[in-house]
Amino acid sequence: MPERQQQILEAAVRVIARNGVRGLRVEKISAEAGISTALIYYHFGNRAGLLRHTLEFINDRAAVYTQQVSAETPRAELELLLSRELQDSETVRENSTAWGELRASAVFDAALREPLAESTRIWVGEVAEVIERTKAKVDAVAVAERLTTLVEGLSERWLSGSMTLDRAQELLKGAIAREIG
Amino acid sequence: MPERQQQILEAAVRVIARNGVRGLRVEKISAEAGISTALIYYHFGNRAGLLRHTLEFINDRAAVYTQQVSAETPRAELELLLSRELQDSETVRENSTAWGELRASAVFDAALREPLAESTRIWVGEVAEVIERTKAKVDAVAVAERLTTLVEGLSERWLSGSMTLDRAQELLKGAIAREIG
DNA sequence: GTCTATAGGTCGATAGAC
DNA sequence: GTCTATCGACCTATAGAC
């Protein structure tokens, strides 16, 4: 990807993480990136195109996280994979916030649904694969769906201030223990 | 509450359920309610005031649902209480959508966080109380937090088109079985 | 309490120069 | 590729009549 486009998309993720998709004003992104609004239209056509590319960009960054996961046992790998969205680092919080916004936006924006569902499928698949490697006698797909869905819920409670990050991580660990022993 | 105000708030919930908080345009609500925009400003001052009252209104409606729950056994009561947000009726879908929007908005709007956290606490408390009555030997509060959080995640996957309602209900039942046997 | 009419502002998008 | 300048649509909010 051209450097300038990547620069714009990074600014877009920051703006979404700060103000939400409802705060995604093309003007704000151009200010954040230090360029003109016209340049954004030159690169992405319109606001919807920018939003779509931003979603893909967030997906790709999450995929990179995933590949970086490496652990001794499948069980440890599972914990890492699931707590990916529950870390108090700037980047993770930013990604998790933007990700939550895109899920919430997809409820009202049909164009976002298919890419969102696809990303969700991929994540569930990855988690299910690791669960199978733990040799636990469970329905790996159902467990993967429950655990990833739980993580999304925990993430939203954390980010909206209804739960501390520590508590979210603790509840996740408890759920993993309940699900695969 | 004056009838006219309630009529406006009901229209606001419908508009939020259809277009999200992002789509909450005062004009749309006035059209939905069949009145002028000026009348909304007369009753609620400004857009923020209208939003705040609408969210309180949503809270109150959810509380009414809860009181209507009645079942033979605590276990059955638990299932009813949790699947409250996962029903394909017009009203539930509307409420669930608006509720999800409230959670998503609270990430970026500090003024919404406290009322949201309070409602969440109440819901978790109700669920925990029912779990205790099932006599299951578990940490009732932790289980209640996990199950209610899961429901929120399932609701969002359902409403955003990443999961069917049937599947969401099935996964919830599986989770209840795992958690309290 | 409720309306019509409109001021005033914001924002997406484009034209045209460089 | 990138900018400045600006149009035009849309939206919140208010003034003033009834």
Side-chain angles (χ1 to χ4, degrees), chain B residues 31-177:
Chain B
E32 176 79 24
I35 56 168
S36 71
T37 64
L39 190 53
I40 291 179
Y41 287 97
Y42 173 78
H43 281 297
F44 298 101
N46 56 26
R47 186 180 180 281
L50 172 60
L51 188 57
R52 206 178 56 248
H53 280 88
T54 303
L55 297 173
E56 280 169 21
F57 185 68
I58 292 169
N59 279 359
D60 294 349
R61 295 217 308 198
V64 168
Y65 286 171
T66 302
Q67 286 168 8
Q68 289 171 348
V69 167
S70 74
E72 301 272 310
T73 65
R75 167 61 189 256
E77 193 178 334
L78 178 64
E79 287 195 14
L80 275 175
L81 200 53
L82 286 169
S83 49
R84 191 175 77 185
E85 300 285 322
L86 297 174
Q87 306 289 334
D88 202 9
S89 88
E90 189 77 11
T91 317
V92 168
R93 193 186 174 109
E94 191 177 274
N95 224 57
S96 201
T97 305
W99 190 253
E101 269 292 283
L102 164 58
R103 283 198 305 272
S105 303
V107 175
F108 306 101
D109 187 344
L112 299 178
R113 280 183 209 164
E114 193 34 53
L116 173 69
E118 175 68 11
S119 304
T120 302
R121 267 194 298 275
I122 291 172
W123 190 30
V124 170
E126 286 167 353
V127 170
E129 188 270 331
V130 176
I131 289 173
E132 265 167 14
R133 276 196 278 117
T134 66
K135 306 290 186 192
K137 289 180 176 52
V138 294
D139 178 344
V141 172
V143 172
E145 283 189 280
R146 280 200 292 267
L147 288 176
T148 54
T149 304
L150 178 66
V151 167
E152 289 172 2
L154 290 170
S155 168
E156 193 158 40
R157 282 207 184 172
W158 163 44
L159 295 170
S160 66
S162 289
M163 186 183 281
T164 67
L165 180 59
D166 282 351
R167 183 61 173 163
Q169 290 168 335
E170 192 181 336
L171 289 171
L172 173 59
K173 279 192 180 163
I176 296 174

Side-chain angles (χ1 to χ4, degrees), chain A:
Chain A
M1 180 177 351
E3 192 176 342
R4 183 38 61 92
Q5 285 184 29
Q6 184 164 341
Q7 176 191 349
I8 294 171
L9 293 176
E10 278 165 3
V13 176
R14 283 197 299 274
V15 171
I16 289 179
R18 212 179 304 134
N19 301 106
V21 167
R22 78 207 73 190
L24 190 134
R25 297 296 129 88
V26 179
E27 272 182 336
K28 278 193 186 163
I29 293 171
S30 65
E32 176 79 23
I35 56 169
S36 71
T37 65
L39 190 54
I40 291 180
Y41 287 98
Y42 171 79
H43 282 297
F44 297 102
N46 56 25
R47 186 180 179 281
L50 173 60
L51 193 57
R52 206 178 56 249
H53 280 88
T54 304
L55 166 61
E56 284 167 18
F57 184 68
I58 292 169
N59 280 359
D60 294 347
R61 295 215 309 197
V64 167
Y65 287 172
T66 302
Q67 287 169 5
Q68 288 170 349
V69 166
S70 74
E72 301 271 311
T73 65
R75 167 60 189 260
E77 194 178 334
L78 179 63
E79 287 196 15
L80 276 174
L81 200 53
L82 286 169
S83 50
R84 192 175 76 184
E85 300 284 321
L86 296 174
Q87 305 290 334
D88 201 11
S89 87
E90 188 78 11
T91 317
V92 168
R93 194 186 175 109
E94 190 178 274
N95 223 57
S96 200
T97 305
W99 190 252
E101 265 295 283
L102 290 165
R103 281 199 307 272
S105 304
V107 174
F108 307 101
D109 187 345
L112 297 178
R113 279 183 210 162
E114 192 34 51
L116 174 69
E118 175 67 11
S119 303
T120 303
R121 267 194 297 275
I122 290 172
W123 190 30
V124 170
E126 286 167 354
V127 170
E129 188 270 331
V130 176
I131 290 173
E132 267 166 12
R133 276 196 277 117
T134 66
K135 306 291 186 192
K137 289 182 177 51
V138 294
D139 178 344
V141 172
V143 171
E145 282 189 280
R146 279 200 293 268
L147 289 176
T148 54
T149 304
L150 177 66
V151 167
E152 289 172 3
L154 291 171
S155 168
E156 194 158 39
R157 282 208 184 172
W158 164 44
L159 295 170
S160 65
S162 288
M163 185 182 282
T164 67
L165 180 59
D166 282 351
R167 183 60 173 163
Q169 289 168 336
E170 192 181 337
L171 289 170
L172 173 59
K173 279 193 180 163
I176 295 175
R178 286 259 162 189
E179 290 279 8
I180 71 168

Side-chain angles (χ1 to χ4, degrees), chain B residues 24-27 41 46-47:
Chain B
L24 189 129
R25 298 295 130 88
V26 178
E27 271 181 336
Y41 287 97
N46 56 26
R47 186 180 180 281

